[in-house]
Amino acid sequence: MNDEVRLIEVRQDIHADNDRAAEELRRRLAAQGTFLLNFMSSPGAGKTTTILATCERLSEHFRVAVLEADIDSKVDAEKIAAAGIPAVQLRTGGFCHLDAAMVAKGLDALDLTGIDLVIIENVGNLVCPAEFDTGAIKNAMILSVPEGDDKPLKYPLMFSVCDVMLVGKIDYLGLADFDVERLRGYVRRLNPKIEIFEVSARTGAGMDAWVGWLTSEIAAYRRICLD
Amino acid sequence: MNDEVRLIEVRQDIHADNDRAAEELRRRLAAQGTFLLNFMSSPGAGKTTTILATCERLSEHFRVAVLEADIDSKVDAEKIAAAGIPAVQLRTGGFCHLDAAMVAKGLDALDLTGIDLVIIENVGNLVCPAEFDTGAIKNAMILSVPEGDDKPLKYPLMFSVCDVMLVGKIDYLGLADFDVERLRGYVRRLNPKIEIFEVSARTGAGMDAWVGWLTSEIAAYRRICLD
């Protein structure tokens, strides 16, 4: 098992460097009052659709930009840009997560003048993105109903590092053997402080409660930064 | 971007060691005619359910064992064992993939006497498992309908390294904006030789065609190994 030992040592190194870069990024964004939200999930859980529906509801109050990340392709950034929202696509070229340096590079490519909120759509992966601080103020995740309610047992770190979880695609409830109360129990045992919202970006169900929470978080952050 | 360079160097090292371990494992299994199948997918795409339905259909012809991998928990191995199939759970403790050394360790914990087929259920992740040769004879993946048909654009390596792809949860077709022909086009551009089967482990649709293909692959392998 020599491979494992060697990999862990390098990881610790990288994590210390990354933590410093994340802190620096948070200071840079606080100086201008820009809130950074990191969105994570499995592939196909509905991040892009949920981000679009969230931006639409936030546009009354805030100016929003989106940083898209994928191993390859730029289809998500194109979808966001088509809705009139400034977007940049980061191609990680094989990397399974974003780190703070990659996010900083992406932000350099966006014009942040007057931007109140940047949403990061991280690589679709319930494992690696949870290990890297991106410099975000809040970590959000989506667990979609078709994925099953047992995922906190299998990917505990992701559920532990998030400030808020969206239970997504709730229009699929009833089709799947998915028990929201069982899920809430698993998640709260890992992370008693997490906020949980049940949503469907497609039907709009639950979106107002989630966006209301986000709005008050952004407003509170901006009061602290800009006062 | 120093982090990236350092990580890549270590990865190359690890990959060379892993490739050697994978070859050694393939020789060991060929000597006894045991076929190793590596199953990969996103979290919640239906690997465990599909493996159970596959084992049930194979049990007439072959003796099967299952190697389950998860970051944490042993719920999947318990489900498999409850169906009377020998199963071992590997807890990766944070690792986002299996490598050949971990698989060899798992096989040591199974009694392989008289076992014709071992199915590996890899960590739910469309990125990292694709990078590591587990020593398997064939790589299989499931893309489930709720995940969307654009995933080959975003996770090309996974679709490139697999010998066979199951389009899973086809009982969800019609509920989702999912075009099987568009998916087939994306996948064939990456991997013209891949076999594709549309299945629902829940309803049983398409399972006979997939299991028929697997049966003939196992039979052909065993003829070569044991003649």
Side-chain angles (χ1 to χ4, degrees):
Chain A
M1 305 261 67
N2 279 331
D3 286 357
E4 285 191 30
V5 175
R6 229 183 307 157
L7 187 55
I8 288 167
E9 283 166 2
V10 174
R11 281 193 170 186
Q12 285 170 340
D13 235 33
I14 286 177
H15 279 293
D17 290 352
N18 184 63
D19 288 349
R20 275 189 296 274
E23 284 306 327
E24 194 184 309
L25 183 54
R26 261 189 291 274
R27 279 193 298 272
R28 172 181 152 195
L29 293 174
Q32 62 184 80
T34 303
F35 190 101
L36 187 62
L37 177 72
N38 177 31
F39 237 114
M40 299 178 281
S41 81
S42 295
K47 284 188 296 306
T48 312
T49 310
T50 304
I51 287 171
L52 273 172
T54 301
C55 288
E56 195 186 309
R57 284 165 175 81
L58 285 172
S59 62
E60 243 182 85
H61 305 293
F62 302 114
R63 280 154 301 179
V64 187
V66 174
L67 201 59
E68 288 289 336
D70 258 317
I71 303 288
D72 204 350
S73 102
K74 51 180 183 174
V75 290
D76 288 343
E78 287 168 350
K79 273 188 216 165
I80 301 286
I85 300 156
V88 161
Q89 181 86 45
L90 284 169
R91 285 206 292 193
T92 68
F95 274 86
C96 50
H97 63 273
L98 285 182
D99 63 20
M102 298 181 215
V103 171
K105 211 169 181 175
L107 294 178
D108 290 341
L110 277 168
D111 178 8
L112 289 187
T113 317
I115 294 291
D116 306 309
L117 168 68
V118 177
I119 300 178
I120 304 169
E121 181 175 342
N122 214 312
V123 179
N125 182 337
L126 280 190
V127 188
C128 318
E131 294 181 30
F132 288 84
D133 188 343
T134 56
I137 300 299
K138 295 285 176 190
N139 286 320
M141 70 170 293
I142 307 178
L143 180 77
S144 66
V145 166
E147 293 173 71
D149 55 28
D150 61 349
K151 293 301 161 289
L153 303 176
K154 300 176 168 192
Y155 308 94
L157 185 64
M158 177 59 77
F159 292 84
S160 303
V161 302
C162 282
D163 302 287
V164 57
M165 174 176 76
L166 306 186
V167 184
K169 302 192 189 179
I170 54 165
D171 45 321
Y172 283 85
L173 280 171
L175 292 164
D177 174 26
F178 189 103
D179 183 332
V180 177
E181 289 315 309
R182 189 162 53 203
L183 171 71
R184 283 177 178 270
Y186 292 148
V187 174
R188 291 222 194 266
R189 249 169 278 159
L190 291 167
N191 185 347
K193 290 170 66 182
I194 196 168
E195 296 280 344
I196 301 175
F197 297 98
E198 299 170 26
V199 304
S200 167
R202 186 159 55 172
T203 68
M207 288 295 296
D208 286 343
W210 143 244
V211 173
W213 177 84
L214 183 57
T215 300
S216 74
E217 290 290 323
I218 298 168
Y221 169 81
R222 287 175 56 78
R223 271 196 306 276
I224 292 165
C225 294
L226 302 177
D227 268 9
Chain B
M1 305 259 63
N2 278 331
D3 287 358
E4 284 190 28
V5 175
R6 230 183 306 157
L7 188 56
I8 289 167
E9 283 167 3
V10 173
R11 281 193 170 187
Q12 286 171 339
D13 232 33
I14 286 177
H15 279 293
D17 288 354
N18 185 62
D19 288 349
R20 276 190 295 275
E23 283 306 327
E24 195 185 308
L25 184 55
R26 261 189 292 273
R27 279 193 297 273
R28 173 181 151 195
L29 293 174
Q32 62 184 79
T34 302
F35 189 101
L36 187 62
L37 177 71
N38 177 31
F39 237 115
M40 299 179 281
S41 80
S42 295
K47 285 188 296 306
T48 312
T49 310
T50 304
I51 287 171
L52 273 171
T54 301
C55 288
E56 195 186 308
R57 285 166 174 80
L58 286 172
S59 62
E60 243 182 84
H61 306 291
F62 302 114
R63 281 154 302 179
V64 187
V66 175
L67 201 59
E68 288 288 337
D70 257 318
I71 303 288
D72 204 351
S73 103
K74 50 181 184 173
V75 292
D76 288 343
E78 287 168 352
K79 274 188 216 165
I80 301 286
I85 301 156
V88 161
Q89 181 86 44
L90 284 169
R91 284 205 293 192
T92 68
F95 274 86
C96 51
H97 63 272
L98 287 181
D99 63 21
M102 298 182 214
V103 171
K105 210 168 182 176
L107 294 178
D108 290 341
L110 278 169
D111 178 8
L112 290 187
T113 316
I115 295 290
D116 306 309
L117 167 68
V118 177
I119 300 179
I120 304 169
E121 181 175 342
N122 214 313
V123 179
N125 183 336
L126 280 191
V127 187
C128 317
E131 294 180 30
F132 289 83
D133 188 343
T134 57
I137 300 299
K138 295 284 176 191
N139 286 321
M141 70 170 292
I142 307 178
L143 180 77
S144 65
V145 166
E147 294 173 69
D149 55 28
D150 61 349
K151 294 299 162 289
L153 302 177
K154 299 176 169 193
Y155 308 94
L157 185 64
M158 177 59 77
F159 293 83
S160 303
V161 301
C162 282
D163 302 288
V164 57
M165 172 176 76
L166 305 186
V167 184
K169 303 193 189 179
I170 54 165
D171 44 322
Y172 283 82
L173 280 172
L175 292 164
D177 173 27
F178 189 102
D179 182 334
V180 177
E181 289 315 308
R182 189 163 52 201
L183 172 71
R184 284 178 178 268
Y186 291 148
V187 174
R188 291 222 194 268
R189 249 169 279 160
L190 292 166
N191 185 347
K193 289 171 65 182
I194 197 168
E195 295 280 345
I196 301 176
F197 297 98
E198 299 170 28
V199 305
S200 167
R202 185 157 58 173
T203 68
M207 288 297 294
D208 286 343
W210 145 243
V211 172
W213 176 84
L214 182 58
T215 300
S216 75
E217 290 290 322
I218 298 167
Y221 169 82
R222 286 174 58 77
R223 271 197 306 276
I224 292 166
C225 293
L226 302 175
D227 268 8

